[in-house]
Amino acid sequence: MTEEPYRWLEAMGNRREYVREQLKDGSPCFAVSLPDGLLLLGVGMGGGVSKVFEIHDRVAMAALGHPADIERVRQAAIDAAHLEAFARAPEDVSLRRLVAYGLSGQIKQAFEQLFSAPVLAEFLLVEVASVASRDLLVRLRFDGTFVAREGGIAVVAPDPDVERSAARWLEDALAGVTGREAAIGVLLEAWERLQKGGSLSSAGAPGAVPGESPRFPPAGRTPELAWLRRGAGKAARYEWIPMAPPALSAPQP
Amino acid sequence: MTSEPAAVPAAPVSIPGDFLSLLQRGAVAPMARVAAGAPEETRATTVFAFHFSGGVLMAGDRRATAGNQIVTDRVEKIIELDDTSLLAIAGVPATAFEMARVLQTSFEYYRRSQLQPLSLPAKVRALARLLRDNLPMTLQGVGIVVPLFAGVDWTVNPPAPRIFFYDPLGAQFQAVHHASSGSGSGTIRSILSFQERYGDPAPAAMSDRQAITFALRLLAVASEFDSATGGVNPAARQFATLKILRPEGVESVNDAAQAEALAP
């Protein structure tokens, strides 16, 4: 039946709908470029299932979706990055090439093979640079499409509209914020609001509503925080941040 | 066309009829230089490690030689493989640096992909395997590497750094107090053994500052007896490579700290 173009389009539409349905309860993840480094935050279910991962010296990943599919893509990214680093040099590992010439094609192929399982996960990949404005933040979708931006904020959420509204809200909320702890507070608040309301389009400023500040840690959930340190020193920039209660008041520059 | 068999050195001594005799008759004896016209290979020289009160100190001079030629005095022979592993290379740098690169990549790959660090025994064996894989080069007398390795043992409480040394074929041994390798290692080993038995303080009781000063003096003495060991001379800005391994991680002792440790 898929030999007919119309049938194929219909099958792809059904598949897209199926994947979105599977991802609808996924927990959003965030990435923020700050002067001293790049911050990644995800809030998972705990129990040994993670959402935030180190890929290579300057590259990290956060994801939502099925743990087995996240793992498959994570392994593919780590394999490709280390192969490149060993064959050439660690400095030659580039997120742009890793996504554009590796992961994107593999995920697209999985999505379009109608009689095999698609990747039930969506991704946020980041690469720290020497200055914040050159950091690379890539949003990679379940069908292999991706959007890259330099510096700023990136969000991965199950619903595209929610994702856009969250990114806009965070742009405002994090304007002028340079401290890591303050940024963590805002990101946790964004996550909590998304869980409650589903969208941040009509939400007020962070911490504006008394009593509405996010709980710490979110009940029954495990916040995961990673930091890609900027600057000289050790080649591996990834650090796991142990959770400490952040300042939950309005962010301070 | 005929070719003359290469000259075979006297060592290793063989018993008539044994395997080594057979190798010598075929001009393939271990450690023999098989090609008279072969280029003089670059070698790296003296490295050592000892336990002190703050962890393990691993040190190496910075000289590489080829025969009686000094190739460079800027070689880094102590290599940080990951946050809790150090490798000291002695032998042929071409092979040793490649071994270090293989280990660095494989340790990091394992840690990132498996979400846990490789165990200390596995790291020790990984280096032994590379040495065994290098056996053909070792037998030909080119590419020989005799490294030292230091890593943190997480199975004890509190975690403790350990020192391992190897033979050229890959046998691995744990050093109780200290280990050394390279052309100047005889001198270093003698002094370390003396200090261990009669010194006050013994190396294991030394503070950071005492251990650094002691290591620099060891290299300075070794360089007086071995031309292939680069010395330590603050006036000429000539220092060693010194790294300290603690359970919390690796710390490099920079030139300024070395100069200060040698100051009267």
Side-chain angles (χ1 to χ4, degrees):
Chain A
M1 60 137 186
T2 53
E3 294 82 26
E4 299 171 45
Y6 170 74
R7 296 288 187 196
W8 194 82
L9 286 174
E10 187 185 29
M12 293 304 293
N14 289 343
R15 196 171 171 83
R16 196 173 291 276
E17 208 172 292
Y18 163 73
V19 176
R20 286 212 192 286
E21 176 65 20
Q22 294 295 309
L23 294 176
K24 73 177 174 24
D25 293 327
S27 169
C29 303
F30 310 93
V32 184
S33 214
L34 296 169
D36 294 336
L38 225 160
L39 179 68
L40 270 173
L41 184 144
V43 181
M45 301 294 288
V49 181
S50 294
K51 293 179 71 69
V52 179
F53 306 96
E54 180 181 15
I55 300 296
H56 200 258
D57 289 352
R58 292 170 290 111
V59 180
M61 179 182 103
L64 66 81
H66 197 292
D69 285 334
I70 293 174
E71 188 58 24
R72 202 148 50 103
V73 173
R74 185 182 77 88
Q75 289 287 353
I78 288 176
D79 286 356
H82 285 76
L83 193 65
E84 174 77 358
F86 188 73
R88 298 186 176 88
E91 291 77 9
D92 289 307
V93 175
S94 125
L95 178 58
R96 197 181 296 276
R97 291 195 299 123
L98 182 66
V99 172
Y101 310 141
L103 301 180
S104 168
Q106 291 169 35
I107 293 174
K108 179 179 185 291
Q109 195 174 25
F111 180 68
E112 290 180 345
Q113 284 181 346
L114 291 177
F115 297 105
S116 64
V119 173
L120 298 179
E122 298 215 290
F123 306 90
L124 195 55
L125 292 117
V126 297
E127 179 184 67
V128 71
S130 54
V131 291
S133 60
R134 299 294 304 275
D135 286 345
L136 192 65
L137 292 78
V138 179
R139 171 74 173 85
L140 178 60
R141 298 185 189 283
F142 63 82
D143 59 0
T145 56
F146 63 92
V147 179
R149 63 171 293 176
E150 288 189 331
I153 294 153
V155 181
V156 54
D159 182 278
D161 291 335
V162 171
E163 188 175 300
R164 275 191 291 274
S165 69
R168 276 196 299 272
W169 185 85
L170 281 169
E171 295 276 4
D172 294 339
L174 288 168
V177 174
T178 55
R180 192 171 78 179
E181 293 303 312
I184 291 171
V186 174
L187 294 181
L188 277 175
E189 184 168 345
W191 182 87
E192 181 105 343
R193 287 180 182 230
L194 284 176
Q195 291 300 108
K196 281 181 180 169
S199 172
L200 286 170
S201 55
S202 57
V209 185
E212 285 293 310
S213 295
R215 293 182 300 276
F216 179 87
R221 297 297 193 112
T222 307
E224 297 176 29
L225 284 157
W227 178 247
L228 286 165
R229 183 177 36 81
R230 203 183 307 287
K234 289 181 187 297
R237 307 293 179 81
Y238 186 93
E239 294 168 14
W240 189 257
I241 307 175
M243 276 300 286
L248 297 178
S249 55
Q252 300 299 314
Chain B
M1 191 176 84
T2 58
S3 59
E4 286 186 14
V8 176
V13 177
S14 59
I15 303 163
D18 72 356
F19 183 58
L20 285 175
S21 307
L22 179 66
L23 294 178
Q24 286 186 356
R25 279 204 300 279
V28 289
M31 317 305 176
R33 187 175 300 285
V34 291
E40 196 83 57
E41 66 190 24
T42 306
R43 287 174 179 274
T45 46
T46 301
V47 292
F48 58 93
F50 61 86
H51 288 278
F52 73 106
S53 64
V56 161
L57 190 147
M58 194 172 255
D61 73 309
R62 293 185 183 173
R63 177 166 292 178
T65 57
N68 63 352
Q69 297 287 311
I70 296 170
V71 176
T72 175
D73 268 330
R74 290 290 179 271
V75 182
E76 296 284 333
K77 299 176 192 174
I78 312 299
I79 299 166
E80 196 174 330
L81 297 177
D82 63 13
D83 280 350
T84 56
S85 309
L86 288 174
L87 177 72
I89 58 166
V92 177
T95 313
F97 284 126
E98 191 61 14
M99 285 181 180
R101 208 167 72 87
V102 169
L103 293 175
Q104 278 173 331
T105 305
S106 61
F107 290 0
E108 287 295 75
Y109 175 78
Y110 183 90
R111 184 181 62 79
R112 286 170 178 145
S113 64
Q114 304 304 308
L115 300 174
Q116 65 176 47
L118 201 59
S119 69
L120 180 60
K123 288 178 179 176
V124 171
R125 284 182 205 132
L127 177 52
R129 194 166 54 245
L130 289 179
L131 292 168
R132 275 199 302 279
D133 290 347
N134 192 47
L135 184 60
M137 298 292 279
T138 303
L139 286 174
Q140 289 174 63
V142 291
I144 188 168
V145 178
V146 192
L148 305 176
F149 178 83
V152 175
D153 183 357
W154 298 100
T155 62
V156 295
N157 191 15
R162 308 280 189 225
I163 302 169
F164 296 86
F165 59 100
Y166 295 80
D167 76 3
L169 306 187
Q172 68 218 26
F173 309 95
Q174 186 176 340
V176 178
H177 301 297
H178 56 81
S180 55
S181 185
S183 57
S185 61
T187 307
I188 299 278
R189 192 177 177 192
S190 301
I191 301 171
L192 274 166
S193 296
F194 178 87
Q195 189 75 18
E196 195 66 50
R197 187 171 294 185
Y198 305 110
D200 184 20
M206 287 180 179
S207 65
D208 284 22
R209 163 77 188 245
Q210 286 172 323
I212 292 167
T213 307
F214 181 53
L216 292 169
R217 287 175 178 170
L218 280 172
L219 277 173
V221 173
S223 71
E224 289 179 13
F225 295 96
D226 175 33
S227 63
T229 298
V232 177
N233 183 357
R237 305 295 302 161
Q238 187 181 6
F239 294 99
T241 306
L242 262 60
K243 290 187 190 289
I244 294 171
L245 176 65
R246 309 181 207 269
E248 303 81 40
V250 173
E251 181 188 325
S252 293
V253 182
N254 62 24
D255 289 358
Q258 292 183 38
E260 194 212 325
L262 286 174

